[in-house]
Amino acid sequence: MVPVQWYVWLGLALFMVGVFGFLTRRSIIMMFLSIEIMLNAVNLLFVAFAHFLNDLRGHMMVIFIITVAAAEAAMGLAILVSVVRNRLSAHVDEIKQMKG
Amino acid sequence: MNLFDLWMGTSQGIQGASGAAGAAGIALQLAIIIIKVAVIVGVLMVHVTWATYFERKTIGHMQVRLGPMRVGPHGFLQPIADFIKLFFKEDVIPASADKPVFFVAPVISIFATMSAVAVIPIFSGFEIADINIGLLYILAMSSLSAYGVIMAGWASNSKYSFLGGLRSSAQVISYEVAMGLSLVGVMMMAGSLNLTEIVKAQQKYPLGIFAIPQILGFFVFMVSAFAETNRTPFDLPEAESELVAGYFTEYSGMRFALFYVAEYIGMIGMSLVAITCFLGGWTGPFHIPYVPFAWLLIKLYLMIFLFYWVRATVPRYRYDQLMKLGWKFLIPLALFNIVLTGAVKLLVKA
Amino acid sequence: MNPIVFGYLAAAILLLSLLAVTNKNPVHAILLVIVMFFHMAVMYIGLGAEFLAAVQVIVYAGAILVLFLFVVFVLNIREETGGERFSSVWPFGLSIATGLLLLAVILSGKVRLGAMGPYTPQVIAAETHTKILGRVLYTDYILPFEISSLILLVAVVGAITLAGREDR
């Protein structure tokens, strides 16, 4: 049997991969992809803890996270589409019209 | 000792089973699974090969032609000639193609359609995998088939392929929703997602099929199945008159053959799902001795004939009509079917 | 789960996500993430959450990532144009990620499991995961369930308002 510690480490490492991608990539689409990776890391931890605690609350959380992730992806990508239409750039560091 | 337990490391563990006996047991289970896979894939490929012949003959006769007549008696060996021709054709790869994606797209297409067959019960107790979430597994695999199309369209780097790929993926995603919702009624009536349980639950209903109480669901499922497999009247992605050949315009030789085979496997797979969920699976009105899968095959051939019949009869939809049909008619109808099924179930219980 | 299986899955998940996050081509990155989600689904099956594994494939691979691919295609982002794929402050981001990882790994030694719940793997296997999940979801979690449906409705309306063209 694999101890719960291993799942925690895997989830943390995956989450940090997502953090790294989110903070460093210029392309907005890659940033959204990093967010999805982070959400998956959190889901993995919820499922692992639910398994080791014999509880279903973790599974419920995963269902709601997936729902919210779908909503978030739809909204985020819609924002991206309208930004690219108006500014012709899909890179975060080129969108600085609000800067004084 | 169970193969699944070894994989998951559950049960009393590997130490629990005595070494040699445990290993022999695992080898036996593996061998049985591999033989089952080989048998089903072999039978499936034979069916795919002659489904192409059957299609050309059926449509030929419906259009008052003879269809293929040259190779063998009544053109019976035509599929083999076709296969040899495709096999020896030059494999052309467009210079500006995205090569890894271009190579992997037909493989994904055939993988997604073929793996759905793994959970279909061929007859009582014979399936490759008897899993609790069989119906969800089929939905998951059919949702992947969009990737083969969309990747092929994008990787070819050609505008016809690209337009075909975009059209097709939008179509497949739209009709997947209707298909999933149409199966909810079946899940509610059977109270299970396991396909064997679903077949058994149908025995309590007239004729041993769900198609009569679930007539709305069956209708929505069949229309969505035509759209999911890109068959006429919904073959927009490969509309020859406007898009050359749609998403596989740039494919040739064996890679083209893979897409072609995937389309027919998809058709057979969708027919099998319809038979299992709505038409009583391997059971029939009376018992046929010695051949437990006889009813399944009869139903399968009738379903495939239905696909060809519709192709020869109904003209192609326009793209906006297709989207309107999916979103404004089929999905509301499927939702109404769910409400109706739930209400009837509650009334009968009360 | 068997440690060998866990090792393979963990290595594949980390490698695929790293490759995806550093990939120049957004389409390749999305395809790598799809493969990563499949490994995640196998992980869920190993943890006794078969329904979640199916949902992972249907929703994430079948819907969300297709949406990503669609947006990439519609905006026609073939490869990242304009040279650099990382922003100019990337060492900053890398140090934050590694620092947080170190902190978290140190703290993870303190993980203690709380009180055990009633749903042992035997209980779940006896009634199938899907059934038991449905019963809990539609009784104890009915309010969050309704709220999440409202969130989805808002997302649908919002996405159409944001991305739809005025002149149509």
Side-chain angles (χ1 to χ4, degrees):
Chain A
M1 284 292 276
V2 176
V4 67
Q5 216 68 272
W6 292 19
Y7 289 99
V8 176
W9 289 331
L10 174 62
L12 289 173
L14 192 61
F15 190 83
M16 293 314 159
V17 171
V19 169
F20 168 72
F22 184 76
L23 290 179
T24 57
R25 292 304 295 254
R26 291 173 70 224
S27 159
I28 298 179
I29 203 129
M30 292 305 298
M31 291 171 71
F32 277 127
L33 209 58
S34 307
I35 293 179
E36 300 300 332
I37 292 175
M38 283 194 262
L39 288 171
N40 260 275
V42 175
N43 283 351
L44 176 69
L45 283 183
F46 269 122
V47 175
F49 281 128
H51 177 74
F52 283 96
L53 286 171
N54 293 337
D55 206 327
L56 281 182
R57 274 176 285 182
H59 295 179
M60 292 298 135
M61 282 300 166
V62 173
I63 289 181
F64 294 129
I65 288 175
I66 290 180
T67 315
V68 174
E72 172 259 343
M75 289 297 288
L77 293 173
I79 292 172
L80 172 64
V81 167
S82 60
V83 163
V84 172
R85 263 202 207 125
N86 292 324
R87 299 272 171 259
L88 294 172
S89 167
H91 289 159
V92 264
D93 49 1
E94 284 161 23
I95 303 166
K96 46 190 175 189
Q97 278 77 11
M98 295 284 274
K99 199 174 171 185
Chain B
M1 174 167 179
N2 197 315
L3 201 63
F4 184 75
D5 286 340
L6 175 72
W7 171 256
M8 291 308 168
T10 47
S11 84
Q12 290 80 339
I14 303 141
Q15 310 94 317
S18 58
I26 286 162
L28 186 69
Q29 286 177 30
L30 260 182
I32 289 173
I33 290 178
I34 289 171
I35 290 170
K36 274 183 176 175
V37 171
V39 167
I40 288 186
V41 169
V43 172
L44 199 59
M45 291 319 281
V46 171
H47 275 79
V48 165
T49 313
W50 270 278
T52 61
Y53 169 75
F54 183 42
E55 170 161 31
R56 293 170 69 175
K57 273 294 193 194
T58 313
I59 289 181
H61 282 286
M62 280 179 176
Q63 295 168 346
V64 206
R65 299 183 282 118
L66 285 175
M69 285 297 279
R70 300 287 172 131
V71 192
H74 284 265
F76 191 71
L77 299 177
Q78 183 69 39
I80 295 174
D82 286 345
F83 175 76
I84 292 171
K85 177 203 152 207
L86 280 174
F87 191 77
F88 286 106
K89 252 180 124 170
E90 190 190 349
D91 184 21
V92 182
I93 299 157
S96 57
D98 186 336
K99 290 208 178 51
V101 181
F102 189 80
F103 291 157
V104 91
V107 179
I108 288 188
S109 225
I110 208 160
F111 163 82
T113 49
M114 209 183 240
S115 50
V117 180
V119 291
I120 305 278
I122 306 298
F123 53 88
S124 188
F126 186 89
E127 63 249 274
I128 296 173
D130 182 18
I131 55 177
N132 286 333
I133 48 164
L135 211 48
L136 281 181
Y137 171 86
I138 285 175
L139 287 178
M141 286 304 142
S142 79
S143 74
L144 287 184
S145 58
Y147 280 108
V149 175
I150 198 171
M151 282 160 66
W154 184 78
S156 303
N157 212 347
S158 135
K159 59 181 163 230
Y160 298 115
S161 301
F162 185 63
L163 285 174
L166 272 190
R167 270 188 180 189
S168 170
S169 44
Q171 169 183 338
V172 170
I173 294 163
S174 310
Y175 277 80
E176 219 159 70
V177 182
M179 195 173 86
L181 289 174
S182 72
L183 288 171
V184 171
V186 172
M187 296 176 198
M188 286 164 80
M189 290 189 73
S192 172
L193 294 175
N194 184 314
L195 293 170
T196 310
E197 297 290 320
I198 288 174
V199 172
K200 282 181 182 152
Q202 297 180 33
Q203 299 312 309
K204 285 179 288 194
Y205 291 89
L207 296 177
I209 58 178
F210 271 164
I212 295 169
Q214 283 292 321
I215 182 74
L216 289 177
F218 185 52
F219 171 73
V220 173
F221 180 85
M222 280 319 291
V223 177
S224 323
F226 277 89
E228 282 278 297
T229 49
N230 292 333
R231 297 287 306 182
T232 338
F234 307 113
D235 61 341
L236 272 299
E238 44 194 286
E240 296 90 350
S241 44
E242 12 186 315
L243 286 174
V244 191
Y247 58 91
F248 50 63
T249 305
E250 304 294 339
Y251 282 83
S252 57
M254 277 318 282
R255 289 182 212 289
F256 168 75
L258 281 182
F259 274 119
Y260 199 67
V261 168
E263 185 184 328
Y264 280 88
I265 296 179
M267 198 171 75
I268 292 176
M270 279 295 161
S271 307
L272 284 173
V273 175
I275 290 164
T276 312
C277 293
F278 292 102
L279 298 175
W282 69 83
T283 61
F286 57 87
H287 184 66
I288 297 179
Y290 306 120
V291 201
F293 47 83
W295 279 114
L296 190 91
L297 279 187
I298 292 170
K299 289 170 186 172
L300 177 63
Y301 297 152
L302 287 177
M303 288 299 271
I304 291 175
F305 179 74
L306 178 72
F307 272 89
Y308 300 156
W309 192 7
V310 169
R311 178 177 165 184
T313 313
V314 186
R316 182 182 298 139
Y317 269 73
R318 217 171 54 216
Y319 196 67
D320 59 322
Q321 291 172 332
L322 171 100
M323 281 298 169
K324 213 175 256 174
L325 179 76
W327 287 100
K328 294 190 180 166
F329 180 65
L330 289 182
I331 292 178
L333 195 64
L335 286 173
F336 173 70
N337 180 46
I338 295 172
V339 175
L340 193 71
T341 311
V344 170
K345 211 179 165 184
L346 276 180
L347 283 177
V348 169
K349 229 181 193 177
Chain C
M1 203 186 288
N2 196 326
I4 301 166
V5 178
F6 178 87
Y8 162 70
L9 288 174
I13 286 173
L14 282 181
L15 191 71
L16 287 167
S17 54
L18 264 177
L19 280 177
V21 159
T22 54
N23 208 307
K24 198 179 179 73
N25 189 328
V27 174
H28 290 183
I30 292 168
L31 297 177
L32 287 169
V33 169
I34 293 168
V35 182
M36 192 272 263
F37 284 172
F38 262 86
H39 286 82
M40 202 64 109
V42 177
M43 199 73 119
Y44 289 171
I45 293 175
L47 288 165
E50 52 188 26
F51 181 79
L52 293 181
V55 167
Q56 168 91 0
V57 174
I58 293 175
V59 177
Y60 263 120
I64 295 182
L65 287 180
V66 174
L67 190 64
F68 272 84
L69 276 182
F70 247 83
V71 170
V72 171
F73 291 161
V74 167
L75 303 181
N76 207 2
I77 314 171
R78 279 246 154 217
E79 269 184 21
E80 279 204 21
T81 45
E84 285 301 305
R85 74 187 92 155
F86 295 112
S87 69
S88 52
V89 290
W90 70 266
F92 187 62
L94 182 63
S95 51
I96 285 182
T98 40
L100 273 176
L101 182 63
L102 282 177
L103 187 67
V105 166
I106 293 165
L107 289 179
S108 73
K110 301 281 181 199
V111 169
R112 295 284 175 275
L113 292 179
M116 302 292 268
Y119 298 103
T120 58
Q122 288 75 29
V123 174
I124 293 178
E127 212 186 340
T128 75
H129 185 237
T130 314
K131 245 181 200 170
I132 220 161
L133 212 58
R135 211 181 47 232
V136 177
L137 182 64
Y138 292 121
T139 52
D140 300 347
Y141 288 85
I142 189 70
L143 187 64
F145 179 77
E146 294 293 337
I147 292 172
S148 69
S149 73
L150 202 65
I151 290 175
L152 280 177
L153 181 68
V154 170
V156 169
V157 175
I160 293 172
T161 326
L162 280 170
R165 284 212 183 88
E166 297 277 319
D167 51 279
R168 222 184 282 159

